[in-house]
Amino acid sequence: MLVRPMISGWEIPRISSINSQESRHLLSLPVPGLSGDLHQDLGRSALIVDITGSLYGDEARDEFLTDNIRKAFLEGEPVDFVADIVNESELEQVLIESLHLEENPAHPNQFTYQIRLREYTEPPEPAT
Protein backbone atom coordinates (compact mmCIF):
# COMPACT_ATOMS: atom_id res chain seq x y z
CA MET A 1 0.00 0.00 0.00
CA LEU A 2 1.38 3.40 -0.97
CA VAL A 3 1.56 6.03 1.74
CA ARG A 4 1.39 9.63 0.58
CA PRO A 5 4.08 11.67 2.36
CA MET A 6 2.46 13.74 5.09
CA ILE A 7 3.78 16.15 7.70
CA SER A 8 1.50 16.55 10.70
CA GLY A 9 -1.58 15.46 8.71
CA TRP A 10 -0.76 17.77 5.78
CA GLU A 11 -0.20 16.07 2.42
CA ILE A 12 2.93 17.46 0.78
CA PRO A 13 2.01 18.66 -2.73
CA ARG A 14 3.73 17.97 -6.07
CA ILE A 15 6.82 16.16 -4.84
CA SER A 16 9.50 15.73 -7.49
CA SER A 17 11.94 13.80 -5.30
CA ILE A 18 12.21 12.41 -1.80
CA ASN A 19 15.27 10.73 -0.33
CA SER A 20 16.48 9.55 3.02
CA GLN A 21 19.95 9.43 4.50
CA GLU A 22 21.04 7.10 7.26
CA SER A 23 24.53 6.90 8.72
CA ARG A 24 26.47 5.54 11.67
CA HIS A 25 28.91 7.27 14.01
CA LEU A 26 32.17 5.37 13.59
CA LEU A 27 35.20 6.28 15.65
CA SER A 28 38.52 5.49 14.00
CA LEU A 29 41.24 4.52 16.46
CA PRO A 30 44.83 4.16 15.20
CA VAL A 31 46.68 1.35 16.98
CA PRO A 32 50.51 1.32 16.96
CA GLY A 33 51.81 -1.72 15.13
CA LEU A 34 48.42 -2.59 13.62
CA SER A 35 47.98 -2.43 9.88
CA GLY A 36 44.91 -0.19 9.43
CA ASP A 37 42.72 1.30 12.14
CA LEU A 38 40.36 -0.09 14.74
CA HIS A 39 36.77 1.18 14.44
CA GLN A 40 34.22 1.57 17.21
CA ASP A 41 30.55 1.86 16.33
CA LEU A 42 28.92 4.59 18.45
CA GLY A 43 25.42 4.00 17.07
CA ARG A 44 23.40 5.49 14.26
CA SER A 45 22.76 9.14 13.49
CA ALA A 46 19.31 10.67 13.23
CA LEU A 47 17.63 9.82 9.95
CA ILE A 48 17.40 12.72 7.47
CA VAL A 49 14.70 13.08 4.81
CA ASP A 50 14.98 15.61 1.97
CA ILE A 51 11.86 16.49 -0.02
CA THR A 52 11.88 18.59 -3.18
CA GLY A 53 8.88 19.78 -5.15
CA SER A 54 7.25 22.63 -7.00
CA LEU A 55 4.00 24.54 -7.02
CA TYR A 56 2.31 26.72 -9.60
CA GLY A 57 0.41 29.94 -9.00
CA ASP A 58 0.17 32.50 -6.25
CA GLU A 59 -2.68 30.75 -4.43
CA ALA A 60 -0.78 27.46 -4.10
CA ARG A 61 2.36 29.33 -2.95
CA ASP A 62 0.49 31.37 -0.35
CA GLU A 63 -1.33 28.31 1.02
CA PHE A 64 1.95 26.42 1.24
CA LEU A 65 3.67 29.25 3.09
CA THR A 66 0.99 30.55 5.42
CA ASP A 67 -1.22 27.61 6.29
CA ASN A 68 1.08 24.64 6.35
CA ILE A 69 4.81 24.13 6.39
CA ARG A 70 6.10 27.52 7.48
CA LYS A 71 3.91 27.52 10.60
CA ALA A 72 5.28 24.13 11.65
CA PHE A 73 8.84 25.26 10.82
CA LEU A 74 8.57 28.45 12.89
CA GLU A 75 7.09 26.62 15.90
CA GLY A 76 10.14 24.33 15.99
CA GLU A 77 8.20 21.53 17.63
CA PRO A 78 8.37 17.86 16.58
CA VAL A 79 5.68 16.88 14.06
CA ASP A 80 4.38 13.52 12.82
CA PHE A 81 5.71 12.29 9.48
CA VAL A 82 4.75 9.33 7.32
CA ALA A 83 6.07 8.21 3.92
CA ASP A 84 6.90 4.96 2.14
CA ILE A 85 10.61 5.78 2.03
CA VAL A 86 10.85 5.60 5.84
CA ASN A 87 8.33 2.80 6.35
CA GLU A 88 10.74 0.28 7.94
CA SER A 89 12.76 2.83 9.93
CA GLU A 90 10.23 3.29 12.76
CA LEU A 91 10.42 7.05 12.16
CA GLU A 92 7.43 8.75 13.78
CA GLN A 93 8.31 12.35 14.56
CA VAL A 94 10.63 14.82 12.87
CA LEU A 95 11.90 18.35 13.26
CA ILE A 96 11.76 20.58 10.19
CA GLU A 97 15.45 21.41 10.03
CA SER A 98 15.39 23.65 6.99
CA LEU A 99 12.99 25.11 4.48
CA HIS A 100 14.36 26.45 1.19
CA LEU A 101 12.00 28.35 -1.11
CA GLU A 102 12.76 29.73 -4.55
CA GLU A 103 10.95 31.75 -7.19
CA ASN A 104 12.79 32.08 -10.49
CA PRO A 105 11.83 34.79 -13.02
CA ALA A 106 12.82 32.42 -15.83
CA HIS A 107 9.84 30.26 -14.82
CA PRO A 108 6.93 32.61 -14.07
CA ASN A 109 4.36 31.45 -11.53
CA GLN A 110 6.54 28.49 -10.54
CA PHE A 111 7.70 28.09 -6.97
CA THR A 112 10.15 25.38 -5.88
CA TYR A 113 10.72 24.14 -2.35
CA GLN A 114 13.15 21.93 -0.47
CA ILE A 115 12.33 20.60 2.98
CA ARG A 116 14.85 18.85 5.23
CA LEU A 117 13.43 16.76 8.05
CA ARG A 118 15.51 15.28 10.87
CA GLU A 119 14.40 12.42 13.10
CA TYR A 120 13.28 13.60 16.53
CA THR A 121 14.32 11.63 19.60
CA GLU A 122 12.66 12.36 22.92
CA PRO A 123 15.32 13.55 25.40
CA PRO A 124 15.83 11.33 28.47
CA GLU A 125 14.28 12.25 31.77
CA PRO A 126 16.61 14.25 34.04
CA ALA A 127 18.38 12.28 36.74
CA THR A 128 16.82 12.53 40.18
Side-chain angles (χ1 to χ4, degrees), residues 25-99:
H25 292 289
L26 296 177
L27 181 62
S28 181
L29 305 166
V31 177
L34 180 67
S35 178
D37 293 332
L38 181 66
H39 292 89
Q40 182 177 358
D41 185 353
L42 300 177
R44 70 174 185 85
S45 300
L47 184 128
I48 296 172
V49 178
D50 289 313
I51 303 170
T52 304
S54 59
L55 299 169
Y56 299 93
D58 292 338
E59 185 176 314
R61 179 197 61 220
D62 293 345
E63 180 181 323
F64 180 83
L65 291 174
T66 58
D67 297 339
N68 299 308
I69 195 72
R70 181 168 275 157
K71 180 181 178 190
F73 173 71
L74 292 174
E75 287 176 356
E77 295 294 323
V79 293
D80 295 331
F81 176 70
V82 294
D84 283 339
I85 198 165
V86 295
N87 196 26
E88 298 299 320
S89 69
E90 299 180 12
L91 178 72
E92 294 177 6
Q93 289 195 311
V94 296
L95 294 169
I96 302 172
E97 181 177 312
S98 65
L99 180 60

Side-chain angles (χ1 to χ4, degrees), residues 103 108 111:
E103 287 184 282
F111 165 80

